[in-house]
Amino acid sequence: MTARYRQQLFTPAVKSVQETAGSRRAYARTEDVPADADRLGGPEAAFIAARDSFYMATISASGWPYLQHRGGPRGFVKVLSERRLGFADYRGNLQYVSVGNLADDARAAFFFMDYANRARLKLLGRVRSVDLTADDELRASLSDDGYGAVVERGLVVDIDAFDWNCPQHIVERFTIEEITPAIDQLKGRIAELEGELAALRGKVA
Ligand SMILES: Cc1cc2nc3c(=O)[nH]c(=O)nc-3n(C[C@H](O)[C@H](O)[C@H](O)COP(=O)(O)O)c2cc1C
């Protein structure tokens, strides 16, 4: 866990619970060292670039957290630099709760899951909405040719902090894309065995 992440999320109430639970001392060590915003390393960049979805929590002016799913082709979240992500925001149900919340408060939490490998990455950042019709370079960076969605805007995330979680309690799940090679292999083997069986039946008859 980075010092920055602790500084952003270990509020007095959180620290108080840690104190009661006996974990405070272990977490306190690096907390008071001033830390710049985190920079993505190779593992984080590769992990994000391999995702086909994530969850994004924004803050409503009513005080409620708001969680929404975003999905797209694998790699639709682009790592623009060590400190910046971007993705195309597709047209949906026209409620605009997330982008409306972000207009009030740019802070958002992101949750990237890799169910197949039982890994998860949490990230905090400030998000700005960009009109891609006025920014050819960013539109090219965030576009995925051939993906059937209407892109309404670009969302650019200035990363503040991130943290990896342990794999505990993550049940493995596989997408059709991930499981198809294994199924194809089995289908091939079944076809081979059916061929052998037919040949043997021919010999017996
Ligand atoms: C026609 C249509 C209907 C949708 N209906 C819902 C819905 O009822 N609830 C929901 O959470 N998402 C729905 N979605 C997906 C959301 O529109 C999409 O996740 C969008 O990004 C939500 O953004 P927001 O929650 O930030 O407003 C729908 C998408 C489409 C295209």
Side-chain angles (χ1 to χ4, degrees):
M1 182 186 289
T2 67
R4 180 75 173 192
Y5 196 85
R6 291 174 198 208
Q7 282 163 17
Q8 298 296 36
L9 294 179
F10 287 6
T11 60
V14 172
K15 288 178 183 174
S16 164
V17 181
Q18 291 173 356
E19 196 73 60
T20 308
S23 60
R24 182 74 207 118
R25 187 198 289 256
Y27 280 124
R29 261 175 275 134
T30 59
E31 231 158 62
D32 298 329
V33 182
D36 286 340
D38 286 337
R39 292 172 185 272
L40 298 179
E44 289 81 27
F47 188 80
I48 292 167
R51 303 279 62 80
D52 58 11
S53 66
F54 62 88
Y55 304 96
M56 175 170 70
T58 54
I59 304 164
S60 168
S62 65
W64 287 100
Y66 178 74
L67 188 64
Q68 187 51 279
H69 167 273
R70 287 289 188 277
R74 187 178 291 279
F76 80 108
V77 181
K78 314 297 179 192
V79 179
L80 300 175
S81 76
E82 288 175 323
R83 281 190 168 162
R84 187 167 286 171
L85 305 176
F87 57 95
D89 195 33
Y90 305 135
R91 177 164 297 162
N93 58 5
L94 308 184
Q95 291 183 14
Y96 303 112
V97 182
S98 301
V99 285
N101 286 348
L102 290 168
D104 264 342
D105 188 328
R107 292 174 300 170
F110 295 82
F111 200 71
F112 297 95
M113 287 295 304
D114 178 353
Y115 289 100
N117 294 299
R118 302 179 68 226
R120 54 187 159 178
L121 179 67
K122 301 177 293 189
L123 188 144
L124 303 175
R126 286 180 171 74
V127 187
R128 75 191 146 84
S129 175
V130 180
D131 175 4
L132 294 180
T133 61
D135 190 333
D136 291 343
E137 199 180 325
L138 190 64
R139 188 175 65 242
S141 304
L142 302 188
S143 294
D144 286 292
D145 291 341
Y147 188 68
V150 177
V151 175
E152 290 195 322
R153 67 191 61 75
L155 293 179
V156 174
V157 185
D158 287 320
I159 296 162
D160 192 286
F162 64 79
D163 184 37
W164 289 96
N165 259 165
C166 72
Q168 211 172 19
H169 308 300
I170 303 175
V171 177
E172 285 163 294
R173 289 184 173 83
F174 300 91
T175 63
I176 288 175
E177 182 195 340
E178 284 161 344
I179 215 156
T180 295
I183 291 174
D184 286 346
Q185 209 179 355
L186 291 174
K187 279 181 179 167
R189 184 68 183 135
I190 289 168
E192 244 175 57
L193 293 173
E194 281 176 343
E196 282 177 28
L197 188 62
L200 287 172
R201 280 193 178 135
K203 279 184 190 166
V204 172

